Amino acid sequence: LLLRSLICAMATWASSATSMPLAATRVRARIGAGGATGRVALRPRRRPVPRAAPVTTSTTPPPFVDFDTTGCGPFPLLDPTRGYTHVSPGVCDTCADSAEARRAWVELLLGQLPSHRANAERTAKFLGDECPPDYTERYRAWEGDYEAYLEEVSKDGVPKGAGATLLDMVDEKERLLRRRGLDDMFAGMKAGENAIASVLFHSIASEIDGIWFPARTIDGDTPDDDATAKAAMIRAVIECCLAGNLFDAGAAAAVQGVQVGDFCEPCVVEPDSREMSEEEAGRYRLDANQLAEIFARARARVSRDASGGWRFDSLSEIVSRCVKTENPGWRRIVVFCDNAGADVMGMVMLARALAAVGGDDTKVALVANTHAALNDVTHAELCSFLSTAAGGGGGEEPADPVLAAQMERGRVTAVPSGQFSTLLDLNRTGPELNAWVEEEFRSVPAGEEWLVVFDGMGRGLESNWNPAPYFKDGVNALNLAMVKSEINAKRLGAEVYDCVVKLSVGGSK
């Protein structure tokens, strides 16, 4: 969350970065009123999150019962005999068994409320005349609803295995929001971050092409098969994905109570533009060139060289697969996207690269939530981002001819997941996604030619941490994320801001 909050964090990395990717020097476009503003302050003290009392709204929101999951069913790459559950060891299973475990996650969820309030205000401004007059009252009422629910699930006396899981808690958050008529509380922030990321995309894509040139595959020509260059390109793309995930970390540290240590000496607090003059706000408004520099520093922070290797590191296996002389890469790839902005930019970059590596017979489905959930990108937002990234400003020539050609030929496509949660339950994927996979089975049966990518903490750490035992034999799974909360770090035996690049194979334990 809050792309602008990394300004202070990135400043501490500048002195240690030995080099800066070329993308930082190539961007000259400027983001205007839609750009990011924010304010930083000294490290905040830990304190209880104030609880909002339920209020009565002046306008009755549209009736909502539950999300429509008609047609949803098990993901076709699952082996139905292996009893898939979305549970990651130590998360939902533990919550179901232990009130103490549930209370730990409840504390984290309550700690996110300051960010939610700020983004509700930002979205109200973003909606303008379309914003309901009682939007703020609806939000305050929702806080009271959600706090009451979390208090209830925290109680003792629930039989083992019958307690609310983390999936239950985040699902109920979204249901309660809709019952108060709040469909997308982060719409304003996502719009701004997607606009910035779409500008950064082209300079970074140009840099990636300078390492290994996938454009040679556009017209059916043989791509550059230099293994060293291709390996360097794959590594650079993965580092861009991790950097995009890091952009969410500043606010995560603030709202989750993470002790960020040397990540950001002056910690970030939630900005309040109401207390800022125009002159003061202007000092925090970034153009795309500045954001490119910040993104370059994020890449330096997650660099495999800088860390001496990632905590969970399957890069060598990924590279080996991509540089094969015969049938490199994977023929069918499903990428479950996480956040809007720099994060989804990284996933599009990954899809672009893997489609180029695999050649004309490779297809990549970029999958995003059907319904809004926090700052996760939605299918509609993903489609808009792809259109902007590939087509640019509507000129005669596409802004990115590589991505434009891949999309035109169906080699990169966007598919809705059918989901409404920040976690991912593969037992209830949507009919469009399941139909796409089933159709592709006709030419590529389930097995080693398939790759499923789980991006981010919600989809790849807090759920689906170990999906291989549940997949059909041979199907590859890639968990690609950054550990951004103490509760997950402790569970995984890792440190906050450790990187996860973990490849596994279906049927293995």
Side-chain angles (χ1 to χ4, degrees):
L1 300 171
L2 304 179
L3 186 62
R4 62 185 149 288
S5 65
L6 283 193
I7 300 168
C8 76
M10 298 305 179
T12 66
W13 304 334
S15 60
S16 61
T18 58
S19 62
M20 182 176 296
L22 295 176
T25 65
R26 292 179 176 164
V27 182
R28 291 294 181 269
R30 190 175 185 86
I31 300 295
T37 64
R39 187 179 58 180
V40 297
L42 297 179
R43 187 184 304 277
R45 296 185 300 272
R46 285 178 176 268
R47 59 184 182 276
V49 177
R51 301 224 169 187
V55 298
T56 303
T57 59
S58 59
T59 303
T60 302
F64 176 87
V65 178
D66 205 344
F67 291 97
D68 183 5
T69 57
T70 302
C72 292
F75 189 48
L77 287 168
L78 293 173
D79 184 324
T81 70
R82 292 176 175 163
Y84 166 84
T85 168
H86 74 281
V87 169
S88 286
V91 182
C92 287
D93 52 350
T94 306
C95 287
D97 292 342
S98 165
E100 182 179 356
R102 291 194 295 276
R103 285 192 284 267
W105 285 100
V106 164
E107 181 180 356
L108 184 147
L109 293 168
L110 288 173
Q112 295 175 341
L113 292 181
S115 172
H116 294 354
R117 292 175 199 145
N119 278 291
E121 294 172 1
R122 187 176 297 114
T123 294
K125 295 176 182 178
F126 172 75
L127 293 174
D129 293 340
E130 297 180 5
C131 183
D134 61 345
Y135 189 91
T136 300
E137 287 74 18
R138 291 187 189 184
Y139 172 80
R140 290 174 56 207
W142 167 78
E143 265 201 20
D145 296 341
Y146 194 47
E147 288 172 336
Y149 166 79
L150 292 177
E151 183 176 357
E152 183 66 25
V153 302
S154 299
K155 293 179 179 178
D156 293 309
V158 179
K160 185 176 181 179
T165 68
L166 180 60
L167 181 68
D168 294 331
M169 296 179 205
V170 296
D171 282 2
E172 190 63 14
K173 173 188 285 189
E174 299 303 326
R175 293 188 184 96
L176 292 173
L177 282 167
R178 269 59 176 199
R179 288 167 190 162
R180 291 294 182 178
L182 302 170
D183 289 339
D184 192 351
M185 190 165 54
F186 284 69
M189 187 201 75
K190 290 188 294 179
E193 293 198 0
N194 283 341
I196 292 169
S198 66
V199 173
L200 294 180
F201 178 88
H202 299 109
S203 61
I204 296 172
S206 178
E207 178 195 335
I208 295 299
D209 290 348
I211 302 173
W212 181 80
F213 198 39
R216 296 187 187 181
T217 66
I218 291 178
D219 298 319
D221 295 336
T222 301
D224 189 338
D225 286 325
D226 178 46
T228 301
K230 191 184 291 187
M233 182 274 291
I234 290 295
R235 174 174 165 172
V237 168
I238 290 176
E239 289 178 346
C240 283
C241 294
L242 295 171
N245 210 239
L246 174 60
F247 262 52
D248 185 43
V255 302
Q256 295 175 1
V258 172
Q259 293 296 319
V260 294
D262 62 359
F263 169 69
C264 178
E265 181 54 33
C267 192
V268 180
V269 297
E270 191 65 48
D272 188 348
S273 58
R274 296 172 302 177
E275 299 178 6
M276 301 171 68
S277 66
E278 276 297 315
E279 180 180 357
E280 184 182 13
R283 291 199 295 271
Y284 294 94
R285 188 171 293 122
L286 300 179
D287 65 16
N289 191 52
Q290 291 170 303
L291 264 298
E293 294 176 358
I294 292 174
F295 190 77
R297 293 173 189 150
R299 288 173 63 184
R301 175 65 172 81
V302 302
S303 166
R304 193 166 180 261
D305 285 341
S307 62
W310 297 311
R311 178 60 64 102
F312 301 93
D313 194 341
S314 298
L315 180 65
S316 60
E317 292 96 319
I318 297 168
V319 166
S320 295
R321 184 75 184 246
C322 290
V323 302
K324 291 194 308 180
T325 55
E326 294 185 9
N327 303 318
W330 294 266
R331 294 174 66 193
R332 295 296 180 270
I333 302 161
V334 178
V335 179
F336 286 102
C337 300
D338 189 29
N339 299 330
D343 202 355
V344 75
M345 176 186 73
M347 291 303 104
V348 174
M349 200 73 65
L350 179 65
R352 180 185 187 271
L354 292 177
V357 164
D360 289 339
D361 191 37
T362 296
K363 293 183 180 180
V364 185
L366 285 159
V367 182
N369 273 12
T370 301
H371 307 280
L374 298 188
N375 66 323
D376 289 357
V377 69
T378 65
H379 172 66
E381 292 161 345
L382 173 61
C383 289
S384 177
F385 184 88
L386 282 168
S387 177
T388 301
E396 294 183 2
E397 295 295 327
D400 183 349
V402 176
L403 181 61
Q406 290 171 341
M407 292 172 59
E408 182 181 355
R409 299 174 185 183
R411 295 176 57 206
V412 172
T413 190
V415 183
S417 69
Q419 305 267 320
F420 58 88
S421 177
T422 52
L423 271 62
L424 174 62
D425 184 354
L426 293 177
N427 272 326
R428 62 184 195 196
T429 47
E432 294 93 340
L433 173 58
N434 291 348
W436 186 89
V437 174
E438 294 281 4
E439 176 64 26
E440 297 307 320
F441 279 168
R442 297 186 177 188
S443 52
V444 184
E448 64 181 12
E449 296 295 335
W450 280 83
L451 172 68
V452 182
V453 180
F454 298 95
D455 175 37
M457 284 206 306
R459 286 156 186 80
L461 300 188
E462 294 165 350
S463 61
N464 303 296
W465 170 244
N466 187 30
Y470 307 105
F471 277 161
K472 293 179 179 178
D473 289 347
V475 174
N476 285 211
L478 175 60
N479 295 67
L480 194 57
M482 173 173 282
V483 181
K484 293 182 291 189
S485 66
E486 292 279 8
I487 195 169
N488 280 301
K490 182 178 180 180
R491 178 176 63 89
L492 299 175
E495 302 291 336
V496 175
Y497 303 119
D498 275 349
C499 294
V500 176
V501 183
K502 183 172 76 76
L503 188 67
S504 56
V505 181
S508 62
K509 299 299 182 183

